[in-house]
Amino acid sequence: MDRIYRAVMEQRLAPNTKLSEARLCETFGVGRMRVRRALLLLSSQGIIDLQSNRGAYVACPDKSEARDVFDARMLIEPPLVKQLAQKSDGTSLRILSDHIALEDAARARHERTEMIRLSGEFHVKLAQAGGNSVISRMMRELVTRTSLIVGLFGSSDTASCPDDEHTKILNAIHAGDARRAEKLLIAHLNHIQSGLDMDARKQPPDDLASILGPD
């Protein structure tokens, strides 16, 4: 169900959207058991909520969970980039640099959904560069939850990470300036969080086929 994950990351699939098993079977052309296994996996990753007697819904974080997600990222990411600045390798830096180039290209083409997806994935790649598989899995879930939160409480201006901030973080890592990398990452997360309107809520779409149809 990579398409569901990607649709969430790109904020095309809004929080609280009902994921009907029958409609998913029709959309993907697969059997009900395969859909159920995929929904269980997505639930274990925090991407969807399985509600008794109601079915599956895209997870819908509330204000308290939104704060918890950003608090968790503040605990994990600043020390992570500080560590990367102290002992990063050339291969990891090239991967991150290439990824930022993809972000810049998507921004130049005004491809909003691609910008959103790539912006989130940059933070996952930062975790992967650290070489800790447990932290990488945690960051994947936290980034996905962040995408849900931004999709629920953000505006079009906060849909993706602000211009140049990823580049500045990577430049500090490349220069071995651990303190600056840490400060930039903290400012970056604060920037994203401050752009959210925690009293706003967006309505979920109804046409799953058009959102999750063939790539």
Side-chain angles (χ1 to χ4, degrees), residues 130-144:
N132 187 309
S133 61
V134 174
I135 290 177
S136 295
R137 287 195 297 271
M138 291 171 63
M139 279 306 305
R140 179 181 167 93
E141 179 174 338
L142 286 170
V143 166
T144 304

Side-chain angles (χ1 to χ4, degrees), residues 3 6 16-17 26 32 34 44 53 59 61 63 66 83 106 118 133 143 147 173 177-178 180 183 190-191 204:
R3 273 186 267 170
R6 183 163 178 159
N16 216 31
T17 300
E26 182 181 352
R32 193 174 290 268
R34 185 172 175 184
S44 72
N53 300 320
K63 293 181 183 180
Q83 182 183 51
L118 291 169
S133 61
V143 166
S147 184
I173 293 172
D177 192 336
R180 178 168 173 76
K183 289 177 65 176
N190 282 331
H191 193 169

Side-chain angles (χ1 to χ4, degrees), residues 166-209:
H166 288 172
T167 299
K168 291 176 181 177
I169 292 167
L170 182 57
N171 286 344
I173 293 172
H174 195 278
D177 192 336
R179 184 175 180 183
R180 178 168 173 76
E182 184 180 37
K183 289 177 65 176
L184 286 169
L185 196 288
I186 291 170
H188 180 56
L189 292 179
N190 282 331
H191 193 169
I192 297 170
Q193 190 172 11
S194 67
L196 303 178
D197 179 358
M198 302 305 291
D199 293 315
R201 281 184 178 271
K202 298 179 181 177
Q203 294 301 314
D206 185 54
D207 190 0
L208 284 181

Side-chain angles (χ1 to χ4, degrees), residues 16 18-19 21 39-40 43 48-57:
N16 216 31
K18 182 173 176 59
L19 300 174
E21 285 188 9
L39 291 176
L40 284 171
S43 176
I48 67 167
D49 291 329
L50 295 178
Q51 302 180 15
S52 179
N53 300 320
R54 294 192 65 216
Y57 292 79

Side-chain angles (χ1 to χ4, degrees), residues 40-193:
L40 284 171
L41 176 60
L42 292 169
S43 176
S44 72
Q45 296 171 345
I47 296 170
I48 67 167
D49 291 329
L50 295 178
Q51 302 180 15
S52 179
N53 300 320
R54 294 192 65 216
Y57 292 79
V58 176
C60 188
D62 57 19
K63 293 181 183 180
S64 176
E65 184 175 348
R67 286 192 293 268
D68 287 348
V69 167
F70 278 97
D71 286 348
R73 291 187 65 170
M74 281 291 189
L75 288 172
I76 295 172
E77 289 192 78
L80 174 65
V81 296
K82 184 177 180 180
Q83 182 183 51
L84 285 176
Q86 292 169 337
K87 61 171 190 178
S88 60
D89 62 83
T91 300
S92 296
L93 293 180
R94 282 193 299 275
I95 290 172
L96 290 167
S97 181
D98 290 345
H99 188 85
I100 289 175
L102 293 176
E103 288 185 54
D104 291 341
R107 186 174 289 109
R109 293 192 300 267
H110 304 290
E111 294 178 346
R112 180 178 180 274
T113 56
E114 186 72 356
M115 287 164 55
I116 293 166
R117 181 181 67 82
L118 291 169
S119 291
E121 286 185 358
F122 174 80
H123 293 269
V124 177
K125 289 186 179 297
L126 275 177
Q128 292 171 342
N132 187 309
S133 61
V134 174
I135 290 177
S136 295
R137 287 195 297 271
M138 291 171 63
M139 279 306 305
R140 179 181 167 93
E141 179 174 338
L142 286 170
V143 166
T144 304
R145 301 298 283 184
T146 302
S147 184
L148 285 166
I149 291 163
V150 174
L152 188 61
F153 299 112
S155 67
S156 59
D157 294 334
T158 58
S160 60
C161 293
D163 294 3
D164 298 330
E165 292 191 3
H166 288 172
T167 299
K168 291 176 181 177
I169 292 167
L170 182 57
N171 286 344
I173 293 172
H174 195 278
D177 192 336
R179 184 175 180 183
R180 178 168 173 76
E182 184 180 37
K183 289 177 65 176
L184 286 169
L185 196 288
I186 291 170
H188 180 56
L189 292 179
N190 282 331
H191 193 169
I192 297 170
Q193 190 172 11

